Amino acid sequence: MTGATGAAASFDPGNRLIVALDVERRADAERLIERLGGVPSWVKVGLELFVAEGPGLVADLVGRGLRVMLDLKLHDIPETVARATRRAAGLGVELLTVHSGGGRAMLAAAVAAAAEVSGGRTRVLAITVLTSMDDRDLAEVGAAEGAAALVERRARLA
């Protein structure tokens, strides 16, 4: 028998699923969590819900034992991203998204800030290219290569 952090936990679907709380309000998120009956232990809080309900919602979810992916796709100067990452890690967030388009220094600042506050509990995920963008969209913003090549380059950077 293994504990929650052992091998058996990694095969538990509830530990491998992340429910996207892509809703407008806390009440909607609460209803969705209740409907799922505790099956997934992970929830994703995206930009819309975070802006509407703030860090208090995230802290409450973590306090209830849910594992939180905070999907904000941070993209700013390295020091600002580091500060925001420290705040997210301080809330108990286990996964935080940043945008790899911010470059090596920004990515490194986020990773260092997460480790500093959480001791490795908060992991940083780098978003390479938004799924809504195609080759034409990327060309309009100055990316000479297509989506596939840009995704690969940014993944290697991350």
Side-chain angles (χ1 to χ4, degrees):
M1 182 170 181
T2 59
T5 58
S10 66
F11 295 107
D12 174 7
N15 285 326
R16 296 172 47 184
L17 298 173
I18 302 175
V19 63
L21 300 178
D22 290 336
V23 295
E24 295 179 11
R25 291 178 289 287
R26 176 188 289 255
D28 299 327
E30 296 290 351
R31 278 192 293 279
L32 180 55
I33 292 167
E34 186 177 320
R35 253 186 36 222
L36 294 171
V39 172
S41 57
W42 283 92
V43 294
K44 180 198 79 145
V45 175
L47 186 58
E48 180 181 13
L49 184 59
F50 187 76
V51 169
E53 300 293 344
L57 170 67
V58 174
D60 289 349
L61 294 171
V62 170
R64 290 168 40 192
L66 291 166
R67 302 173 81 183
V68 175
M69 172 187 178
L70 188 55
D71 186 18
L72 301 181
K73 298 175 189 75
L74 299 175
H75 185 180
D76 209 317
I77 63 173
E79 183 57 29
T80 299
V81 169
R83 288 178 183 167
T85 300
R86 283 187 198 98
R87 295 291 202 141
L91 294 171
V93 167
E94 290 189 54
L95 297 173
L96 174 67
T97 61
V98 299
H99 202 291
S100 62
R104 183 178 310 278
M106 187 206 76
L107 294 170
V111 170
E116 171 189 321
V117 173
S118 74
R121 181 171 162 89
T122 300
R123 293 174 289 161
V124 175
L125 300 176
I127 305 301
T128 55
V129 174
L130 299 176
T131 57
S132 62
M133 299 187 83
D134 60 19
D135 289 350
R136 183 180 307 170
D137 297 320
L138 291 169
E140 287 178 348
V141 297
E145 59 201 320
L150 185 57
V151 165
E152 183 177 339
R153 184 162 45 93
R154 287 182 174 175
R156 290 183 190 284
L157 174 66

